[in-house]
């Protein structure tokens, strides 16, 4: 035990086993946990107690910003800065303003979704300790992994290892920092 | 599979109430119509388009859920099928319009040198209007008959494999028929509603109804789910995920409704040619303008923002509240399309809102709606509330229980 560990990781064969193990881990009081699977598992957020992302709220305000930006841009251009008579219509032809304002709403909402997702996920991130476990590459193919970080309050190498082994995984790995 | 999925017997009580309300409404409507025939027929048309739309929308949603698959379709299939089986009654409700055609449609009184009379020839004659109406109902009738017969056969299947064959048949039928369905609606709504103003035309007209009727059908189904989900046997079936999925579809349809209506407005506004702008000029005069604003705010903006929230889509109280709200505003939308149209009594002129709105516009939809609901509840009770032999039933129920 000289090396400092990032955490302990257990490997499972199926999504059901992973979800059951995640529930047990949460019930045992672990909070700094994570799960890895080749495909999205609906129940895993609830099993690990992961809070819902605030991304939708950010996207909503991104969209509102785009909408206001689109309207004010057109009001400024067509009404304040350079009023132009287009086919005898009023300068404030709000009907014609809708498509560009709508497009800007979508654009900023889309940008917020993509960049907000990257930011909230902590990406880009060139290095992560979990890749120190060679078998972790299988997380993108057919295996399911559950991680308990050593930063967790009730983490203790021997206890936690014993606990993970009690969940009947294929194998438990030390994840080096 | 021995579970009993029959509709709760309490529905009988609602049948009686619906018939009573509809019957009284019908008498009051008939009395009012006796004194003011044109207004009476127009209010009847309002009720016919609103409630008939849920029946015709029911055909579309039945086919849609076969085509897309998914748990929400298994859950609402029997409700929308029952709505589609109200078609014979909707046909009877169409007859007053056919018999009163010369008191409802201005084009039956146009002078022979009017350009639409010359240009449209026999197409714009009462006889061909009626013949086309019969064809629309015949086509809808074939769809309702086949879809419902196959669905009933599926219930009688001996095993899942036989049931899956009926499912495959209905799915294969739904694809091409969906195209015909949209075309028939397009022709029918041009005849029934758009021709109230013979000198105006819009090519997106039919789609306004395809989308609007699908929206009405989903909202009506949510109300049925809210009631059924509180009771056995449906409380074993309905889950939050089903509501979430249907909520998302309602959100999408609210957006498409706004998209199509706005497309029509933007193109006419940009084109700015006299043949087209009249329709909006009438609706931009003081009273009507505010109805238009109410529609933008409460047929689009408010339901759109409301339905963005995931928790409210999953909550049956919230979802059914917005569904009732959308159904009411759908009626306002139909009123906005129908009521300002040119009137025979005004020699082709439109009325301002205060003169145009009649108490018959409330009685008409109530009369039609009461009788429609009476027939609908009867149809709903005839079959199990879920397709009991559907191979995906177990999966669909399981899907709903997640988060």
């Amino acid at each position: 035990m000289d090396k400092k560990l990032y955490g302990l990781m257990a490997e499972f064969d199926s999504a059901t086993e992973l979800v059951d193990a995640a529930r047990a881990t949460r019930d045992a009081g672990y909070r700094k946990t994570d799960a890895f699977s080749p495909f999205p598992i609906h129940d895993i957020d609830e099993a690990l107690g992961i809070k819902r992302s605030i991304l939708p709220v950010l996207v909503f305000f991104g969209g509102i910003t785009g909408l206001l930006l689109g309207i004010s841009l057109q009001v400024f251009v067509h009404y304040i800065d350079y009023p132009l008579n287009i086919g005898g219509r009023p300068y404030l032809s709000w009907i014609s303003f809708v498509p560009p304002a709508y497009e800007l709403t979508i654009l900023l909402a889309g940008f917020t979704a993509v960049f907000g997702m990257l930011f909230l996920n902590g990406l880009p991130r060139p290095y992560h300790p979990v890749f120190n476990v060679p078998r972790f590459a299988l997380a993108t193919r057919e295996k399911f992994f559950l991680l308990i970080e050593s930063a967790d309050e009730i983490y203790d190498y021997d206890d936690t290892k014993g606990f993970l082994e009690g969940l009947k995984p294929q194998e438990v790995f030390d994840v080096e920092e | 599979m021995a579970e009993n999925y029959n509709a709760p017997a309490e529905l009988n009580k609602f049948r009686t109430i619906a018939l009573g309300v509809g019957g009284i409404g019908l008498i009051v409507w008939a009395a009012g119509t006796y004194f003011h025939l044109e207004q009476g027929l127009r209010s009847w048309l309002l009720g016919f388009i609103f409630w008939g739309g849920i029946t015709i929308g029911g055909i579309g949603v039945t086919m849609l859920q076969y085509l897309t698959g998914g748990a929400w379709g298994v859950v609402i299939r029997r409700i929308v099928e029952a709505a589609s089986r109200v078609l014979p009654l909707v046909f009877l409700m169409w007859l007053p319009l056919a018999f009163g055609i010369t008191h409802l449609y201005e084009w039956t009184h146009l002078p022979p040198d009017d350009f639409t009379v010359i240009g449209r020839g026999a197409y714009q004659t009462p006889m061909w209007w009626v013949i086309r109406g019969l064809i629309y109902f015949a086509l809808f009738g074939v769809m309702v008959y086949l879809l419902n017969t196959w669905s009933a056969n599926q219930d009688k299947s001996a095993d899942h494999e036989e049931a899956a064959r009926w499912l495959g048949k209905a799915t294969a039928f739904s694809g091409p028929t969906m195209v015909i369905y949209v075309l028939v609606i397009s022709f029918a709504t041009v005849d029934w509603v758009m021709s109230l103003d013979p000198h105006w035309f819009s090519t997106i007209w039919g789609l306004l109804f395809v989308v609007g009727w699908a929206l009405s059908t989903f909202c009506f189904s949510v109300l049925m789910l809210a009631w059924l989900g509180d009771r056995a046997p449906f409380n074993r079936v309905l889950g939050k995920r089903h509501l979430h999925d249907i909520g998302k579809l309602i959100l999408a349809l609210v957006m498409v409704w706004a998209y199509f209506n706005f497309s029509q407005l933007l193109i006419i506004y940009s084109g700015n040619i006299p043949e087209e702008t009249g329709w909006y000029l009438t609706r931009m005069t003081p009273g009507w303008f505010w109805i238009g604003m109410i529609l933008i705010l409460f047929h689009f903006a408010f339901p759109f923002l409301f339905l963005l929230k995931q928790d409210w889509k999953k909550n049956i109280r919230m979802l059914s509240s917005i569904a009732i709200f959308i159904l009411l505003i759908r009626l306002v939308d139909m009123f906005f399309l129908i009521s300002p149209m040119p009137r025979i009594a005004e020699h082709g002129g439109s009325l301002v809102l205060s003169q145009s709105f009649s108490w018959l516009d409330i009685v008409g939809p109530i009369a039609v709606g009461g009788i429609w609901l009476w027939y609908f509840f009867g149809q709903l009770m005839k079959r199990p509330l879920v397709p009991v032999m559907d191979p995906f039933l177990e999966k669909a129920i399981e899907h709903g229980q997640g988060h």
Side-chain angles (χ1 to χ4, degrees):
Chain A
M1 272 305 293
D2 311 327
K3 284 174 289 186
K4 183 164 166 23
L5 286 186
Y6 177 73
L8 287 164
M9 191 154 65
E11 177 191 318
F12 296 94
D13 258 350
S14 75
T16 332
E17 286 174 73
L18 178 65
V19 173
D20 291 343
R23 283 218 176 88
T25 310
R26 183 161 169 76
D27 291 343
Y30 292 99
R31 290 294 174 267
K32 295 208 165 174
T33 52
D34 209 348
F36 308 89
S37 64
F39 51 80
I41 304 173
H42 279 302
D43 302 328
I44 198 76
D45 289 13
E46 172 253 343
L48 280 180
I50 296 171
K51 287 199 198 80
R52 214 192 282 167
S53 162
I54 69 155
L55 190 60
V57 180
L58 296 181
V59 172
F60 178 76
F61 284 104
I64 294 279
T65 312
L67 180 70
L68 295 177
L69 196 66
I71 293 171
S72 35
L73 171 74
Q74 292 174 92
V75 170
F76 175 72
V77 169
H78 291 293
Y79 188 65
I80 298 168
D81 191 44
Y82 203 88
L84 199 61
N85 184 333
I86 300 169
R89 290 182 188 78
Y91 293 126
L92 280 179
S93 291
W94 66 270
I95 296 167
S96 315
F97 292 178
V98 169
Y102 167 78
E103 294 298 339
L104 265 175
T105 310
I106 301 298
L107 182 73
L108 288 207
F111 276 161
T112 318
V114 172
F115 295 113
M117 178 274 290
L118 291 176
F119 176 78
L120 292 174
N121 279 334
L123 293 170
R125 184 169 185 178
Y127 173 82
H128 195 285
V130 287
F131 292 99
N132 290 335
V133 177
R135 275 187 72 81
F136 183 72
L138 291 173
T140 59
R141 282 187 244 160
E142 52 176 342
K143 297 292 181 189
F144 302 80
F145 294 88
L146 181 71
L147 173 80
I148 299 178
E149 290 177 26
S150 59
D152 194 284
E153 273 177 30
I154 57 167
Y155 172 89
D156 172 272
Y157 181 77
D158 296 317
D159 283 359
T160 306
K161 189 154 193 162
F163 167 76
L164 278 176
E165 271 159 1
L167 297 171
K168 307 232 168 16
Q170 296 298 105
E171 202 175 338
V172 176
F173 306 97
D174 296 354
V175 183
E176 286 167 23
E177 189 73 75
Chain B
M1 273 299 119
E3 280 182 278
N4 173 14
Y5 281 114
N6 291 334
E10 280 169 273
L11 271 176
N12 270 320
K13 192 179 72 193
F14 289 99
R15 281 198 85 192
T16 321
I17 296 173
L19 186 62
V21 171
I24 294 169
L26 193 62
I27 294 165
V28 176
W29 173 82
T33 304
Y34 180 76
F35 293 107
H36 196 159
L37 188 53
E38 187 182 7
Q39 179 59 52
L41 286 170
R42 208 172 265 236
S43 304
W44 187 261
L45 178 69
L46 180 65
F48 168 80
I49 291 293
F50 180 78
W51 289 101
I54 300 180
T55 289
I56 298 173
I59 307 173
V61 176
T62 306
M63 293 195 288
L64 183 71
Q65 57 86 27
Y66 279 129
L67 290 175
T68 63
W72 64 271
V74 179
V75 174
I76 70 166
R77 187 182 302 162
R78 282 296 145 89
I79 298 173
V80 290
E81 278 178 3
S84 78
R85 289 200 302 275
V86 188
L87 192 72
L89 183 76
V90 173
F91 172 70
L92 291 180
M93 288 168 166
W94 173 79
L95 293 178
L97 304 175
F99 283 110
I101 188 165
T102 54
H103 301 282
L104 179 61
Y105 293 100
E106 189 214 344
W107 50 261
T108 55
H109 294 274
L110 288 176
D113 61 341
D114 188 278
F115 75 90
T116 66
V117 175
I118 297 166
R120 290 174 197 166
Y123 197 88
Q124 191 171 278
T125 53
M127 186 180 78
W128 279 101
W129 187 95
V130 171
I131 291 175
R132 286 198 304 275
L134 295 173
I135 295 172
Y136 306 145
F137 276 104
L139 288 170
F140 285 140
V142 170
M143 297 175 201
V144 171
Y145 177 77
L146 289 177
L147 288 167
N148 280 285
T149 309
W150 292 337
S151 191
N153 288 347
Q154 193 192 38
D155 280 359
K156 287 176 225 137
S157 301
D159 53 36
H160 280 330
E161 279 186 23
E162 195 190 336
R165 274 202 297 281
W166 291 112
L167 191 67
K169 212 166 174 163
T171 310
F173 172 80
S174 296
T177 311
M178 194 62 121
V179 180
I180 300 169
Y181 169 81
V182 171
L183 286 172
V184 177
I185 290 189
S186 202
F187 276 94
T189 53
V190 165
D191 275 2
W192 296 341
V193 191
M194 197 170 92
S195 81
L196 283 168
D197 186 348
H199 298 113
W200 181 81
F201 41 85
S202 160
T203 44
I204 208 169
W205 188 260
L207 292 179
L208 297 181
F209 288 85
V210 171
V211 167
W213 285 347
L215 180 58
S216 302
T217 307
F218 273 113
C219 289
F220 178 77
S221 306
V222 165
L223 295 185
M224 289 311 299
L225 289 180
W227 190 82
L228 292 169
D230 269 351
R231 290 160 179 77
F234 218 72
N235 51 10
R236 295 199 298 274
V237 175
L238 191 64
K240 282 190 169 187
R241 288 255 284 276
H242 300 134
L243 298 175
H244 190 199
D245 291 347
I246 294 168
K248 283 185 274 191
L249 283 162
I250 293 178
L251 173 64
L253 285 166
V254 163
M255 287 193 280
V256 182
W257 175 89
Y259 176 78
F260 283 168
N261 273 283
F262 184 75
S263 304
Q264 181 180 288
L265 171 64
L266 181 70
I267 287 170
I268 290 177
Y269 185 82
S270 306
N272 201 17
I273 48 177
E275 294 97 281
E276 293 175 343
T277 49
W279 198 81
Y280 280 110
L281 288 178
T282 307
R283 285 162 179 77
M284 280 179 180
T285 52
W288 292 117
F289 176 79
W290 293 110
I291 303 276
M293 284 296 134
I294 286 172
L295 286 176
I296 295 176
L297 283 178
F298 295 108
H299 201 311
F300 170 64
F302 174 67
F304 171 75
L305 292 173
F306 187 101
L307 287 165
L308 281 180
K309 194 146 171 62
Q310 198 187 106
D311 299 335
W312 292 351
K313 277 179 286 198
K314 286 178 175 172
N315 180 322
I316 186 68
R317 295 280 156 259
M318 289 306 230
L319 191 65
S320 51
S321 309
I322 196 72
I324 247 186
F325 183 84
I326 294 176
L327 278 177
L328 290 176
I329 204 81
R330 291 279 317 128
L331 198 56
V332 177
D333 183 34
M334 292 297 105
F335 176 72
F336 186 69
L337 294 186
I338 291 171
S339 194
M341 290 292 203
R343 291 176 187 245
I344 301 167
E346 305 297 316
H347 306 288
S350 296
L351 291 171
V352 294
L353 175 61
S354 54
Q355 292 171 325
S356 194
F357 180 72
S358 154
W359 58 276
L360 281 165
D361 286 330
I362 295 174
V363 175
I366 290 177
V368 174
I371 305 168
W372 190 94
L373 283 173
W374 163 75
Y375 199 92
F376 168 80
F377 289 139
Q379 290 299 325
L380 189 65
M381 291 172 79
K382 277 194 180 161
R383 294 185 181 183
L385 288 174
V386 290
V388 281
M389 283 306 285
D390 192 294
F392 299 106
L393 178 61
E394 297 295 319
K395 259 208 162 112
I397 294 177
E398 199 181 300
H399 170 87
Q401 311 309 325
H403 287 267

